[in-house]
Structure formats: structure tokens, C-alpha cells
Amino acid sequence: MAIVLIRQDGKLDLWKNAFLGQYPDLPVFHYEEPHSTEEVTMAIVWKHPEGSLTHYPNLQCIASFGAGVDFIFEDNTRPKNVTITRVIDPALAADMSEYVLGVILMYLKNLDTYRQDQANKSWRPKAYTRIADHTIGIMGAGTLGITLANSLLPLGFKVVGWSREAKEVENFKIYHGQGGKTNFLRQSTILVCLLPLTDATKEILDKETLSQLPKGAYLINVARGGHLAENQLIPLIDSGHLSGACLDVFQQEPLEEGHPFWDHPKIKITPHVASVSDPASVVHQLVENYYRLEKKVPLVNTVDPSRGY
Ligand code: NDP
Ligand code: OXD
């Protein structure tokens, strides 16, 4: 039995060393070095090259290096009937909450605009809003969404959530399904997308959905670029229906040089960094599943293929 690591972002050695640092005897290889493909039972992947999983005839688990698994389901060449797992990690959730809180406070107090004004040596005081003025709508009240809600509520924000199935939590209301979507959207002065990308959520942030937000609402997309119907965003901002957006994820990453989002004064862009899996924090859960395979016991953090997340 062995583990293969597949990713194309220059971080293979960093991850391999993180595994070996904590588990020196672990049979872990990266996909570009010589290894017995027959031995491999677990592939840990992040945006792997399509077709790369077909080299492993004895694969029992495909594990995402991150929380999302959309790129695994998109690879139609992947071996089917192999368990898929994802990362569920308190540090990943805390990092996401910190990022979103930072964006919200920047928006409330116009801090990004003053940064631009300073570059132009322009003194232009603007009206600001307060925490009490806003209801944060968390689209995707799952692991990351609930952690975010629990970090915003003590600060005085009103929070509403939206999920696929009905669920109740003590401190805020979670709407669900198509039936609850409109009520959820109507209240959300700041909408944070934390959905998984699936057939049901593809381009869910389109004109129809975003038009149901209150006038002047702000959009934060930290989930996947595929959630946003990109060509429908700028008209909603330019018409004044939305006051702006902060986007961490894009249909195509890196964002193409000529994309209109780069130059729009009311769109803030970050390069898919809202929350990044930290090897020190997630190696343990990935290796735990490798040992579970060895012992033939059920894996943790599995994904339901029928839901796609
Ligand atoms: P979870 O699976 O824990 O939560 C997903 C939530 O979305 C659940 O509440 C689920 O509902 C809800 N949901 C799914 N489908 C629908 C639907 N069709 N209609 C309504 N609600 C739906 O995921 P995580 O919180 O761990 O992660 C969310 C996503 O965040 C990841 O998939 C990834 O794409 C993205 N991400 C982005 C990062 C970045 O740096 N930008 C970093 C980490 C993650 P229910 O509760 O009923 O199942
Ligand atoms: C993730 C991500 O899914 O980093 O973990 O986007």
C-alpha cells in the first residue's frame, strides 16, 4: 500500500516533506517521481491533471487536499466506486472566518476606497455603515459557514444561513432549499457564498438570485468561481443594485489578464487565498484515512457522490 500526491502548483515537495516529517516511514510519493503505481491505494489530489488517476489500478481512496471536491467529480476519467474524502479542519474554517471578517469590515468602513484615494492624494470623506446595519447571509451553512456565523454573531452582526436540507441551530435562522431561498436572500445585505460547487449550485449567483438581494447589497464569493455567472455581475453593480463584490475565486484561475473584473473599481480580487490547507494541520487526518484503509475500517470525512459534496 502507498500514497501518491498529485498537484501542479509547485507544492509537491512541501507536502511530501510535511507527511514524512510527521510519519517518517510512510510510503508516500509524488506523482512525478518513480513509484510502483500498483502499490498505490490512496491518491491525494488538488486540481490533478485529467487522466492522472487512471494509472492506479488498486486505488481505494481519492482524497482532496482541500475542503472542495468539485475538481474530482469534474474528472470523468477518475475510477468510479472509489471513496472520495475531503478536508474538514478547524484551522481551515478559522482562516476562512478571518478572511471574510476582514473583507466585511473593509467594506463597512470604505477602507479599500481610501487606499485608492491615497494613491491619488484625494481627500474624500464617505458615509460608513455599522455592524448593526447589516445582515450577513451565509449561502452554504456547512462546516465553514457555521464557523463563520459563530465568529460574526458575538460581534453584533445579524446572520441568516441557507442550506440544502432543513437544519436548526440555536443562535441564527437557517433557511433551506428553493422554498427558503427568497426569504434568505431578501434579508442579506452582505451575501457570502460558501457553497460547494455541484450541478445544483453551478452559476447560482446569477442575475435572478442576486436581484433578490436588497438594493445596495455586497457580494463576497469565497467558494468557487463556477458559482458566479461572471458576465451578469458588472451590470448589477453598474446599475447600483449591488454596491460591489469581493471575489476570491474565478471561473478560470489565474484570472485572465484581460478580464473586466481586474479594472472594475467596485470589484475586489484576491487570488484564491481565503483559506488554504495547512500541511501541519491536515496531514494527520489524511494519514488517518490511509491507516483506516489498511485496517479496512470506514474512512473519515467522506463525500456523498450522489450529492457531489
Ligand atoms: P460543507 O459541505 O460542510 O457545507 C456546504 C453547505 O452548502 C452545506 O450547508 C450544504 O447544505 C450547502 N449546500 C450544498 N448544496 C446546496 C444546495 N443545492 N442548496 C442549498 N445549500 C446547499 O462545505 P464546507 O463548508 O467545508 O466548504 C464549502 C466550500 O468552500 C467548499 O466546497 C470549497 O469549494 C470552498 N472553499 C474555498 C476556499 C477558498 O480559499 N476560497 C477554502 C476552503 C473551501 P446541507 O447542510 O443541507 O448539506
Ligand atoms: C479548498 C480550497 O477547497 O482551498 O479547500 O479552495
Side-chain angles (χ1 to χ4, degrees):
M1 294 182 73
I3 299 176
V4 67
L5 311 179
I6 314 180
R7 55 192 299 152
Q8 304 176 84
D9 57 359
K11 292 187 180 171
L12 277 169
D13 284 332
L14 181 138
W15 276 93
K16 187 177 168 188
N17 292 336
F19 279 100
L20 291 176
Q22 291 191 40
Y23 300 88
D25 299 325
L26 195 72
V28 56
F29 303 92
H30 61 65
Y31 77 115
E32 287 169 332
E33 69 184 332
H35 60 285
S36 156
T37 51
E38 305 230 322
E39 290 279 301
V40 168
T41 46
M42 181 174 189
I44 309 180
V45 298
W46 180 252
K47 300 186 182 170
H48 57 284
E50 194 166 298
S52 54
L53 294 170
T54 60
H55 302 305
Y56 302 101
N58 298 315
L59 210 53
Q60 293 172 35
C61 172
I62 303 170
S64 171
F65 272 108
V69 289
D70 43 290
F71 63 95
I72 299 175
F73 286 110
E74 275 164 20
D75 176 5
N76 283 322
T77 69
R78 76 184 187 282
K80 311 294 182 310
N81 304 320
V82 168
T83 307
I84 297 176
T85 66
R86 71 191 196 93
V87 164
I88 298 181
D89 176 47
L92 191 75
D95 288 355
M96 179 58 82
S97 297
E98 289 180 14
Y99 173 97
V100 174
L101 177 61
V103 172
I104 292 174
L105 294 178
M106 176 176 74
Y107 166 64
L108 262 55
K109 304 302 171 193
N110 305 303
L111 299 181
D112 53 331
T113 320
Y114 293 128
R115 189 72 199 84
Q116 289 164 23
D117 286 353
Q118 183 178 349
N120 300 326
K121 298 190 170 60
S122 170
W123 184 271
R124 296 190 305 152
K126 277 167 267 300
Y128 56 80
T129 56
R130 301 188 172 92
I131 288 176
D133 297 328
H134 289 280
T135 298
I136 314 299
I138 301 177
M139 201 170 201
T143 310
L144 302 182
I146 292 203
T147 304
L148 173 63
N150 287 331
S151 64
L152 295 176
L153 287 162
L155 301 177
F157 285 102
K158 297 181 280 299
V159 172
V160 287
W162 188 60
S163 61
R164 198 171 70 107
E165 282 162 11
K167 58 160 94 157
E168 290 209 4
V169 287
E170 245 175 45
N171 39 6
F172 70 104
K173 165 96 180 149
I174 300 181
Y175 295 86
H176 71 278
Q178 282 311 310
K181 191 174 163 207
T182 297
N183 274 340
F184 161 78
L185 291 169
R186 278 196 188 137
Q187 298 172 60
S188 304
T189 57
I190 299 178
L191 182 71
V192 183
C193 180
L194 271 170
L195 288 165
L197 184 63
T198 65
D199 290 344
T201 65
K202 195 165 181 279
E203 300 212 343
I204 191 165
L205 301 173
D206 60 2
K207 185 175 176 200
E208 198 202 321
T209 296
L210 298 174
S211 297
Q212 295 177 62
L213 295 170
K215 187 169 165 48
Y218 193 76
L219 170 68
I220 301 174
N221 186 16
V222 276
R224 284 291 180 265
H227 288 124
L228 178 64
E230 288 189 346
N231 59 3
Q232 297 175 27
L233 179 65
I234 290 180
L236 286 163
I237 295 176
D238 289 350
S239 71
H241 178 69
L242 295 181
S243 55
C246 178
L247 309 174
D248 183 54
V249 285
F250 303 89
Q251 297 261 4
Q252 189 184 314
E253 296 178 6
L255 188 63
E256 315 89 284
E257 213 182 311
H259 199 292
F261 288 170
W262 283 114
D263 294 320
H264 197 286
K266 293 184 175 169
I267 296 178
K268 306 290 159 237
I269 284 169
T270 55
H272 199 144
V273 290
S275 178
V276 179
S277 285
D278 177 357
S281 187
V282 305
V283 152
H284 179 70
Q285 62 178 266
L286 293 167
V287 175
E288 180 182 342
N289 270 341
Y290 172 73
Y291 288 129
R292 282 172 174 257
L293 285 178
E294 220 172 43
K295 289 189 209 130
K296 299 190 180 0
V297 297
L299 306 190
V300 295
N301 302 340
T302 53
V303 165
D304 176 352
S306 69
R307 298 187 319 182
Y309 72 97

